[in-house]
Every structure is written in structure tokens, then in C-alpha cells.
Amino acid sequence: MFLSIVIPIWNDERYLEECLNSCLDQRLSKDQYEIICVDDGSTDRTPEILRHYETRNPNLRIIRKQHGTQYGFGRDIGLAAARGEYVWFVDHDDLIAPGAVDDLQ
């Protein structure tokens, strides 16, 4: 099984680190899932936070797009980029329980 977690983001610095940490706090090997962050042209610290996480987590990818598109469009872009057999959409302010992804096997 390979899982893609897609997170559409716009100016979400307040909750983003907690969300990303919860997605990364899984017992699955990093080569069994990917995290795709679709940034809709954020103007706060979101791009800086994403770069920080991207450099430390090889299973995290960032897709940047111009701001102003519909929120669902970020989901569509992430879905098109997903390599997983399964896709899980997570919002920027969601938290995933530790090991939650393990139950999907």
C-alpha cells in the first residue's frame, strides 16, 4: 500500500506545524506514504514553514500555485500529483492521531 496525504493550504501558519507533525507522526515507513502540500500563494509564514519541513522530510512535496483559485482546486491539483493507491485529504487545521495511517493497511 502507498498512501498520498493531500493538504490544501492558504495562509495557515497558525496550525500548519501541528498538522504536518501529526501527518509525519506515523509508524509507516516514510517510503510508504507521501504528503503533498498545495500552497495557494500564501503571504504569511506558510511558505517558510513548508520549506523547513520539505528539507527534513523526503516524503513531503510542495506544490505552489497562484492565489485566488477556489479552495477545491488545491485538492484537484494534489489529487493529480498523488502517486498513492489511496488518497487522504487533510485540512490545514486537522490533526491525525499517531499511527492512524497504520490502520489503513
Side-chain angles (χ1 to χ4, degrees):
M1 178 200 79
F2 188 79
L3 173 69
S4 297
I5 298 173
V6 176
I7 309 171
I9 304 165
W10 181 73
N11 283 352
D12 298 322
E13 68 180 81
R14 184 172 176 192
Y15 302 107
L16 183 56
E17 290 182 87
E18 284 182 286
C19 176
L20 293 174
N21 288 337
S22 76
C23 291
L24 291 163
D25 187 20
Q26 302 300 315
R27 289 183 289 268
L28 281 180
S29 170
K30 300 293 187 220
D31 64 350
Q32 292 182 296
Y33 74 104
E34 66 181 347
I35 301 168
I36 302 169
C37 299
V38 183
D39 181 16
D40 190 12
S42 295
T43 57
D44 64 354
R45 288 186 49 246
T46 295
E48 176 186 331
I49 293 167
L50 289 173
R51 280 191 302 274
H52 172 79
Y53 276 81
E54 183 180 43
T55 60
R56 289 163 177 77
N57 299 284
N59 64 328
L60 189 142
R61 291 190 291 151
I62 303 169
I63 299 173
R64 290 175 181 82
K65 63 186 188 75
Q66 295 288 352
H67 179 62
T69 58
Q70 295 177 3
Y71 191 72
F73 193 60
R75 290 177 184 265
D76 293 342
I77 290 172
L79 182 59
R83 299 182 320 225
E85 298 169 64
Y86 301 96
V87 177
W88 188 355
F89 292 104
V90 174
D91 288 329
H92 70 276
D93 57 352
D94 289 345
L95 298 177
I96 299 173
V101 172
D102 300 353
D103 296 336
L104 300 176
Q105 290 187 22

